[in-house]
Amino acid sequence: MDQILILSRIITVLMRKDKMYFLTFLSITIIFLIMASIAIHYLEKVSVSQMLDTQLEYGKREAKELGSLINSQLANGVEKEQLISDIQKSIDNTNLETGFVSMFDWSGTHLCHPDIKQVGQKISQETSFVSSVTDDLGTDEFYQLLMDRKLLSAIDSLENTSEVISLIPIENSDWIVAAHANTEKISLKVQQLRSNLNTILLVMGLVVILSFIIVARLIGSSYEKRLELKNQKLEDEVINLSKLNRAVGDYKQKVSLVQPKTVNESDQRSKKRILTYVRNELLPVATEEIAHIYTENNITYVVRVDGRRTTTNLSLDELFSYLDSSFFFRANRQFIIAISAINKIVKYGNNQLKILVNPDSAVDIIISKNRAAEFRQWLNL
């Protein structure tokens, strides 16, 4: 029966442990997901803003540099046809990057464009001239423009995949240099950036969660080992106390069987009765009627098995010398207890024993660690 109870308790503990680890894993995962969603949103916004800001600055600077070069070439008397041909060669197929430049005249006809097919064509009506010559397009507006263009492209399947972010007029001509942002390429970079952030946070999440679980398991295992040792020690103490309590019962039976013979053959020092007082009345008390004797405020009290209490002028040392050590034990400096009065033995403090007697004692009867071994020996353990 005891083995079944122990097995049941072990199964219950294991189930509680598994539930605790599962709840720990679930809690850490939920907390990390919340933190990760906030972190991804913030990091994505910061990273995309930096990338778009760099793209804006790069496109505007490139358009200005090309505009300055064209102004310089025209001032030096270079023919327009030759200049247009040279510019077309320099920007040919650059529309494959995230940004490029083009040039058109005031009528909206492309003079130079990375896509040679666009040369001579009118500017598409869908093309957005968002910055114009004011050069005031900000990162937030650019991002919103990018998202709007992506949404419109998904709905209307627009072929145009670039946005004009800056316009530079050429002096003494009807030419305009335009800086384009390749929205398709930039959107791909944003998606790639978002994917990389998600991957990094996912890997970090797995590492952090697994690390927390491993550390929790290690700490839990260490704690469980200490707890198991304490439980084992407690079980041993419970077993020892059970043995002590059984020994008390056995010793009582043994004493009851040998008491007549022991009394007849006892040492001459052992007395059959002790002289006590109740107020001014002398009252002899037979030793077999004594439950325990104790001192309090320099007064020695004799407690009988029926609960009545009397006093005596003798000290505990003198009384113990007159009592049969087979039936009485000196628990400590304050108490002498009779084997017949012991009701139960319980653990108290650090390897100490607490004796419960009948009738009850108003003061705890404690056997120290040093006297516990003597007490067990007295019980023949």
Side-chain angles (χ1 to χ4, degrees):
M1 187 65 180
D2 293 338
Q3 294 177 350
I4 296 176
L5 291 175
I6 295 173
L7 181 60
S8 176
R9 187 173 66 176
I10 293 174
I11 293 174
T12 303
V13 171
L14 291 176
M15 291 177 65
R16 289 179 180 175
K17 286 167 51 180
D18 292 338
K19 184 178 181 180
M20 180 190 68
Y21 290 133
F22 174 74
L23 292 177
T24 302
F25 172 79
L26 187 62
S27 301
I28 295 174
T29 302
I30 292 174
I31 293 172
F32 179 81
L33 288 176
I34 295 174
M35 296 178 62
S37 61
I38 298 174
I40 287 177
H41 178 74
Y42 175 76
L43 292 175
E44 179 184 344
K45 183 177 180 180
V46 172
S47 302
V48 171
S49 297
Q50 290 180 349
M51 183 180 68
L52 296 182
D53 185 63
T54 301
Q55 183 62 43
L56 283 173
E57 293 299 324
Y58 173 77
K60 293 175 182 180
R61 184 174 66 250
E62 188 177 18
K64 288 180 181 179
E65 290 177 353
L66 182 59
S68 298
L69 177 63
I70 293 174
N71 285 328
S72 176
Q73 292 293 324
L74 290 175
N76 291 333
V78 178
E79 295 293 333
K80 290 186 177 181
E81 290 77 6
Q82 181 63 38
L83 185 56
I84 290 173
S85 176
D86 293 342
I87 294 173
Q88 179 61 39
K89 290 178 181 180
S90 64
I91 67 174
D92 193 28
N93 291 326
T94 56
N95 59 332
L96 301 177
E97 305 296 331
T98 56
F100 59 90
V101 294
S102 68
M103 188 173 68
F104 53 88
D105 58 21
W106 284 102
S107 66
T109 302
H110 282 295
L111 302 176
C112 300
H113 195 280
D115 185 1
I116 192 64
K117 296 178 182 180
Q118 298 293 328
V119 177
Q121 301 293 326
K122 291 288 186 178
I123 297 175
S124 174
Q125 294 182 357
E126 288 87 5
T127 302
S128 176
F129 293 85
V130 295
S131 177
S132 187
V133 294
T134 59
D135 207 28
D136 61 352
L137 181 66
T139 302
D140 294 337
E141 292 82 359
F142 189 15
Y143 181 78
Q144 188 60 44
L145 175 67
L146 192 66
M147 295 298 102
D148 293 342
R149 171 57 64 179
K150 181 179 179 181
L151 180 61
L152 290 174
S153 298
I155 297 175
D156 301 332
S157 300
L158 296 177
E159 295 181 358
N160 182 49
T161 60
S162 67
E163 294 288 345
V164 177
I165 60 176
S166 182
L167 298 174
I168 305 296
I170 304 300
E171 297 178 359
N172 301 321
S173 71
D174 62 346
W175 297 349
I176 298 175
V177 175
H180 296 257
N182 195 333
T183 56
E184 182 180 2
K185 298 293 183 181
I186 294 176
S187 296
L188 290 176
K189 282 187 172 291
V190 171
Q191 292 177 3
Q192 183 178 5
L193 176 63
R194 185 181 294 113
S195 177
N196 291 338
L197 288 175
N198 289 331
T199 302
I200 291 173
L201 287 175
L202 178 61
V203 173
M204 288 179 60
L206 291 175
V207 172
V208 170
I209 292 173
L210 290 177
S211 299
F212 269 110
I213 295 299
I214 292 173
V215 171
R217 289 296 298 268
L218 292 176
I219 296 175
S221 298
S222 177
Y223 175 76
E224 288 165 8
K225 289 180 180 178
R226 292 198 299 268
L227 188 60
E228 288 176 358
L229 291 175
K230 290 182 179 179
N231 289 337
Q232 184 63 43
K233 185 177 179 181
L234 182 60
E235 289 177 0
D236 293 341
E237 291 175 350
V238 170
I239 293 173
N240 291 333
L241 288 175
S242 299
K243 291 181 178 180
L244 280 175
N245 284 286
R246 285 198 300 268
V248 169
D250 295 341
Y251 194 63
K252 285 181 179 180
Q253 293 179 359
K254 179 180 178 181
V255 167
S256 63
L257 293 176
V258 302
Q259 187 170 2
K261 181 179 178 180
T262 305
V263 172
N264 293 330
E265 299 178 1
S266 60
D267 192 278
Q268 295 297 324
R269 294 181 304 166
S270 299
K271 294 186 177 183
K272 296 181 180 181
R273 57 185 59 85
I274 296 175
L275 188 62
T276 63
Y277 299 88
V278 178
R279 296 182 180 87
N280 295 324
E281 180 184 355
L282 292 175
L283 180 65
V285 177
T287 55
E288 60 265 21
E289 295 181 358
I290 298 175
H292 58 272
I293 305 171
Y294 70 98
T295 60
E296 187 176 20
N297 297 326
N298 296 322
I299 300 175
T300 303
Y301 295 93
V302 178
V303 181
R304 299 167 62 177
V305 293
D306 57 5
R308 287 186 294 175
R309 187 177 69 167
T310 57
T311 62
T312 179
N313 293 329
L314 299 175
S315 66
L316 284 187
D317 291 334
E318 292 174 326
L319 286 172
F320 190 66
S321 66
Y322 296 148
L323 297 173
D324 191 340
S325 61
S326 299
F327 307 111
F328 293 91
F329 182 77
R330 182 71 179 271
N332 50 47
R333 295 181 180 179
Q334 189 180 2
F335 274 92
I336 297 173
I337 55 177
I339 183 64
S340 59
I342 297 177
N343 186 29
K344 186 181 293 185
I345 305 170
V346 297
K347 183 179 181 296
Y348 183 87
N350 185 18
N351 295 326
Q352 295 176 328
L353 299 176
K354 180 178 179 180
I355 309 300
L356 303 180
V357 293
N358 186 22
D360 293 336
S361 170
V363 182
D364 290 339
I365 304 176
I366 307 300
I367 297 179
S368 66
K369 177 181 177 181
N370 295 330
R371 293 191 62 82
E374 184 180 348
F375 179 69
R376 289 187 176 90
Q377 186 177 3
W378 181 66
L379 295 174
N380 291 330
L381 290 180

